[in-house]
């Protein structure tokens, strides 16, 4: 619906002197939008000003009702001594009501509008800088703007081409990132880093061992999903977020198996990292028998995560998948191995490992912004980020997906505009994959090679790029991207070619790639291939087929 209507209603209801009033007004506009779309009332409403006036009055009445509902809910919360920041409480409790089965009309109305966030609505809003989520927050003063933040980093990957899992892959990946110390930023104290992390396959051998004492039974490999959660340290807020997540999982028809507190050694960190350190936990979800393993199951987990993210502002989900998991944080390169004892366990095996050391040139480090993201690690920056995200959001109104039929509205907006340029690219790629695209195809669409004036390119390939250029603009770097979904590992260099990367293939079917050579000591006689990434070209390792493309 037209934004001025929402602004008008928000202004009218501000006289109540509460954030609940703009929330109620926004809810009423959402109701109008739903009715207009579902029952074809939009054209009828726009025929004359009288009809518009009638609808506006109806919306005002609905908003008044919503205001009363929200007020009563908050009174109940106060009685139970569950006071939170004004505005958050209403949304949290409304959300809980959303997933309770009820024929009550009030609950059904609430069901439609529980994703609204008071901080997004015109009216009495305020900045909510969360230390855990945004790290050491810098206020936007002078010329500083968070949306212009970029970073330049060190990246590396090691993969067994035949898909054979081992702990050596994990250990060697940690060695790679430790040898990229010169590409990792640190504070003046020299004890807190900009961010270091590793993306691995989910190790069934390891997780079945550590979950058994907790009473969590894991059936077999890829029959469960693992989430890595950065919860707030406050126990009440943490328990609220955990409960909300469990309710969402149940609503989506899956069985939540339990929580595991990830063992950590905080004493190895610098003071700034400890000050904003989250409570790190893992959640386990059982795969429904009617859902196929792999991307189909991960798609259901994706929907769960997106609904949760729009309902729990103070929790960050680093990863939630049946195939991959991310361990990361505000570390120096040698702290990653020490902070997470999981990574030192000989039972943790993987055939794929991607690592990243962050050097943020003009950004403020945080636990959330450390790489890897859910699909990619990134060296460089996306200079077209504003246009990419704006056009992606503009298309959302017309988006459809057979894979997420009836659920697409729950995952939109696809891109979190408060994330870094790398995180937003990851959001876009993840959305395309979950909508039915293969991961390599999604990366080719987002980061195409220079094709328009390339005379050496076949017409078939030009037609391919031209077709997808109508759907998405290039996310231009300079950028070197590594990506993985647990079944393949790939690397691509943007068409400018300004973030070179090199790789070796050894005689024992290992591929080692990094932003520079020398990250691992490999005897020369073991190396069978020495190559580099070429601008606009993609390297792809399919561990299911045991081939390099």
């Amino acid at each position: 619906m037209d934004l001025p209507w929402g602004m008008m209603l928000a202004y009218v209801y501000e006289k109540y002197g509460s954030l609940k009033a703009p929330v109620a007004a926004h809810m009423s506009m959402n109701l109008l939008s739903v009715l207009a779309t579902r029952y074809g009332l939009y054209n009828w409403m726009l025929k004359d000003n009288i009809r518009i006036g009638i609808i506006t009055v109806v919306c005002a009445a609905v908003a008044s009702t919503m205001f009363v509902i929200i007020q009563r809910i908050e009174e109940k919360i106060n009685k139970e001594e569950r006071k939170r920041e004004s505005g958050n409480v209403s949304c949290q409790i409304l959300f809980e009501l959303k997933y309770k089965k009820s024929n009550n009309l009030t609950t059904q109305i609430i069901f439609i509008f529980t994703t609204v966030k008071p901080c997004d609505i015109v009216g009495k809003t305020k900045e909510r800088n969360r230390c855990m989520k945004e790290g050491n927050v810098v206020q936007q003063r002078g010329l500083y703007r968070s949306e212009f933040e970029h970073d330049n980093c060190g990246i590396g990957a090691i993969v067994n081409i035949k898909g054979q899992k081992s702990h050596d892959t994990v250990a060697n990946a940690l060695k790679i990132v430790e040898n990229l110390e010169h590409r990792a930023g640190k504070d003046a104290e020299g004890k807190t880093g900009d961010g270091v992390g590793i993306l691995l396959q989910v190790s069934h051998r390891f997780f079945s061992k550590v979950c058994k004492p907790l009473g969590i039974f894991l059936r077999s490999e890829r029959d469960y999903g693992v989430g890595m959660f950065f919860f707030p340290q406050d126990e009440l807020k943490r328990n609220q977020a955990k409960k909300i997540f469990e309710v969402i999982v149940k609503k989506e028809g899956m069985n939540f198996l339990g929580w595991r507190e990830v063992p950590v050694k905080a004493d190895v960190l610098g003071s700034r990292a400890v000050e904003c350190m989250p409570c790190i936990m893992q959640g386990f979800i059982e795969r429904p028998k009617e859902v196929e393993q792999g991307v189909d199951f991960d798609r259901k987990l994706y929907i769960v995560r997106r609904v949760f993210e729009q309902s729990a502002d103070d929790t960050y989900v680093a990863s939630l998948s049946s195939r991959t998991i991310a361990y990361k944080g505000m570390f120096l390169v040698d702290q990653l191995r020490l902070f997470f004892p999981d990574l030192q366990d000989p039972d943790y095996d993987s055939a794929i490992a991607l690592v990243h050391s962050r050097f943020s040139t003009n950004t403020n480090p945080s636990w959330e912004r450390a790489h890897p993201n859910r699909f990619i690690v990134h060296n460089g920056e996306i200079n077209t980020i504003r246009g990419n995200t704006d056009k992606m959001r503009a298309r959302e109104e017309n988006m459809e997906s057979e894979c997420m039929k009836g659920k697409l509205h729950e995952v939109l907006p696809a891109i979190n505009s408060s994330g870094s340029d790398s995180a937003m690219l990851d959001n876009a790629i993840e959305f395309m994959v979950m909508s039915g695209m293969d991961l390599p195809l999604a990366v080719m669409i987002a980061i195409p090679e220079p094709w328009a004036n390339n005379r050496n390119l076949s017409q078939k390939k030009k037609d391919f790029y031209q077709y997808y250029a109508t759907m998405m603009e290039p996310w231009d770097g300079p950028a070197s991207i590594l990506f993985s979904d647990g079944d393949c590992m790939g690397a691509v260099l943007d068409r400018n070619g300004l973030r070179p990367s090199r790789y070796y293939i050894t005689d024992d079917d290992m591929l080692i790639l990094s932003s520079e050579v020398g990250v691992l000591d490999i005897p020369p006689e073991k190396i069978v291939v020495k190559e580099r990434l070429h601008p606009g070209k993609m390297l792809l390792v399919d561990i299911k087929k045991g081939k390099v493309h």
Side-chain angles (χ1 to χ4, degrees):
M1 305 308 298
D2 292 342
L3 181 62
W5 291 13
M7 293 175 63
M8 176 187 67
L9 286 173
Y11 175 78
V12 170
Y13 282 95
E14 275 186 35
K15 66 182 182 179
Y16 287 106
S18 169
L19 274 175
K20 298 188 291 295
V23 172
H26 190 74
M27 286 177 172
S28 68
M29 296 310 302
N30 283 353
L31 175 62
L32 177 59
S33 179
V34 171
L35 293 175
T37 303
R38 186 170 297 175
Y39 299 106
L41 300 178
Y42 192 79
N43 292 332
W44 178 86
M45 289 173 354
L46 296 182
K47 283 186 178 179
D48 56 57
N49 292 334
I50 296 176
R51 294 181 181 182
I52 292 175
I54 292 172
I55 294 297
T56 303
V57 171
V58 171
C59 288
V62 173
S64 298
T65 304
M66 290 295 179
F67 179 84
V68 173
I69 293 170
I70 296 171
Q71 253 189 337
R72 290 179 179 175
I73 290 173
E74 286 206 320
E75 287 171 3
K76 182 178 179 181
I77 296 167
N78 291 336
K79 289 180 182 179
E80 298 173 357
E81 297 183 350
R82 295 176 62 188
K83 293 181 180 179
R84 284 172 60 99
E85 179 183 356
S86 178
N88 279 355
V89 174
S90 299
C91 290
Q92 293 278 1
I93 301 304
L94 285 172
F95 177 83
E96 292 175 8
L97 288 175
K98 172 178 176 179
Y99 286 101
K100 290 181 179 177
K101 294 183 179 178
S102 173
N103 295 321
N104 183 279
L105 178 61
T106 301
T107 305
Q108 290 176 354
I109 293 173
I110 292 171
F111 179 90
I112 303 173
F113 303 108
T114 54
T115 57
V116 65
K117 295 182 176 65
C119 59
D120 295 331
I121 298 172
V122 178
K124 295 181 179 179
T125 63
K126 61 179 181 179
E127 293 284 336
R128 292 182 301 171
N129 294 327
R130 298 177 297 276
C131 182
M132 185 279 295
K133 192 166 184 179
E134 299 296 340
N136 305 307
V137 178
V138 175
Q139 294 183 358
Q140 297 194 157
R141 297 175 179 173
L143 296 177
Y144 170 76
R145 289 295 180 271
S146 60
E147 59 265 31
F148 298 134
E149 292 187 342
H150 301 288
D151 49 287
N152 294 279
C153 319
I155 58 174
I158 180 167
V159 54
N160 185 286
I161 298 169
K162 302 301 181 184
Q164 296 176 0
K165 290 187 173 184
S166 70
H167 182 67
D168 287 342
T169 302
V170 180
N172 285 327
L174 294 172
K175 289 179 184 177
I176 290 174
V177 79
E178 287 165 1
N179 286 328
L180 292 172
E181 183 180 8
H182 58 289
R183 283 184 174 266
K186 63 180 73 173
D187 67 350
E189 186 186 15
K191 295 182 180 179
T192 300
D194 283 4
V196 178
I198 184 169
L199 183 74
L200 300 166
Q201 288 180 309
V202 172
S203 172
H204 179 63
R205 183 169 68 174
F206 171 77
F207 283 114
S208 59
K209 181 187 75 171
V210 297
C211 287
K212 191 174 181 179
L214 302 175
I216 301 174
F217 174 71
L218 305 177
R219 289 205 309 259
S220 59
E221 192 166 4
R222 299 202 173 179
D223 278 340
Y224 57 92
V226 185
M228 182 71 86
F229 294 81
F230 288 0
F231 284 116
Q233 289 288 359
D234 181 87
E235 186 177 1
L236 176 60
K237 294 180 180 180
R238 182 167 68 250
N239 290 338
Q240 269 189 332
K242 287 163 65 177
K243 182 62 178 177
I244 289 174
F245 184 78
E246 292 169 20
V247 171
I248 297 172
V249 171
K250 185 177 181 180
K251 175 62 181 176
E252 293 298 330
M254 293 185 286
N255 181 31
F256 183 76
L257 298 174
W259 295 102
R260 172 183 181 247
E261 187 167 354
V262 180
V264 297
K265 294 186 177 180
D267 56 333
V268 304
L269 302 181
S271 58
R272 294 187 67 186
V274 172
E275 286 171 4
C276 57
M277 185 181 77
C279 176
I280 304 174
M281 299 189 74
Q282 291 168 341
F284 298 85
I285 302 172
E286 189 174 33
R287 178 182 65 87
K289 293 183 179 179
E290 67 274 12
V291 178
E292 293 292 326
Q293 289 184 348
V295 69
D296 289 344
F297 182 32
D298 279 3
R299 186 176 293 114
K300 288 188 71 69
L301 298 175
Y302 171 65
I303 294 170
V304 166
R305 196 197 84 226
R306 290 297 297 129
V307 174
F308 176 70
E309 287 174 337
Q310 296 178 59
S311 311
D313 289 336
D314 49 9
T315 299
Y316 172 69
V317 187
S319 62
L320 179 59
S321 171
S322 63
R323 298 180 289 176
T324 59
I325 188 169
Y327 286 83
K328 64 179 183 178
M330 283 178 62
F331 310 136
L332 300 175
V333 291
D334 59 346
Q335 292 173 347
L336 175 62
R337 182 196 300 267
L338 301 174
F339 183 80
F340 290 115
D342 287 4
L343 301 178
Q344 302 178 54
D345 194 307
D347 286 326
Y348 201 110
D349 54 1
S350 178
I352 296 174
L354 275 58
V355 291
H356 186 276
S357 59
R358 189 165 185 253
F359 192 105
S360 48
T361 52
N362 63 339
T363 63
N364 213 44
S366 72
W367 286 78
E368 179 188 38
R369 290 193 172 187
H371 292 220
N373 293 295
R374 297 168 189 112
F375 276 93
I376 70 168
V377 298
H378 172 210
N379 173 29
E381 56 189 51
I382 305 298
N383 291 324
T384 57
I385 191 67
R386 175 71 68 85
N388 292 131
T389 54
D390 286 350
K391 291 174 182 177
M392 189 81 175
R393 179 160 294 183
R395 296 188 188 98
E396 288 180 354
E397 186 177 347
N398 300 318
M399 285 180 177
E400 294 181 6
S401 171
E402 286 297 319
C403 296
M404 289 191 286
K405 203 166 187 178
K407 296 288 186 180
L408 187 62
H409 66 282
E410 295 185 13
V411 304
L412 296 178
I415 294 179
N416 178 7
S417 57
S418 66
S420 65
D421 55 342
S422 305
M424 287 189 269
L425 172 59
D426 185 77
N427 291 157
I429 290 174
E430 181 183 36
F431 178 74
M432 289 189 282
V433 170
M434 296 307 167
S435 297
M437 288 186 183
D438 291 333
L439 178 57
L441 173 61
V443 174
M444 289 178 71
I445 294 170
I447 311 172
E449 61 181 301
W451 57 272
N453 300 310
N454 190 344
R455 297 178 181 179
N456 297 321
L457 211 61
S458 67
Q459 189 60 43
K460 184 177 180 180
K461 206 167 185 181
K462 284 187 177 182
D463 292 343
F464 165 84
Y465 283 118
Q466 188 168 15
Y467 172 75
Y468 283 108
T470 63
M471 304 180 189
M472 179 170 289
E473 304 73 23
W475 295 61
D476 268 335
S480 179
I481 305 289
L482 304 184
F483 58 89
S484 178
D485 60 2
D487 291 329
C488 69
M489 192 287 294
V492 63
L493 192 61
D494 78 296
R495 53 189 178 176
N496 298 305
L498 298 177
R499 290 291 184 271
S501 297
R502 295 182 176 273
Y503 65 92
Y504 293 165
I505 299 177
T506 63
D507 58 7
D508 55 353
D509 295 315
M510 299 299 293
L511 183 144
I512 300 99
L513 183 149
S514 184
S515 43
E516 55 221 272
V517 295
V519 289
L520 278 184
D521 293 327
I522 305 170
E525 61 272 14
K526 290 180 65 65
I527 300 171
V528 295
V529 174
K530 285 185 179 182
E531 250 294 3
R532 65 181 178 90
L533 293 183
H534 296 265
K537 303 295 183 181
M538 178 182 292
L539 168 73
L540 185 67
V541 182
D542 187 336
I543 64 172
K544 284 189 170 181
K545 297 180 180 178
K547 292 184 178 180
V548 179
H549 304 282

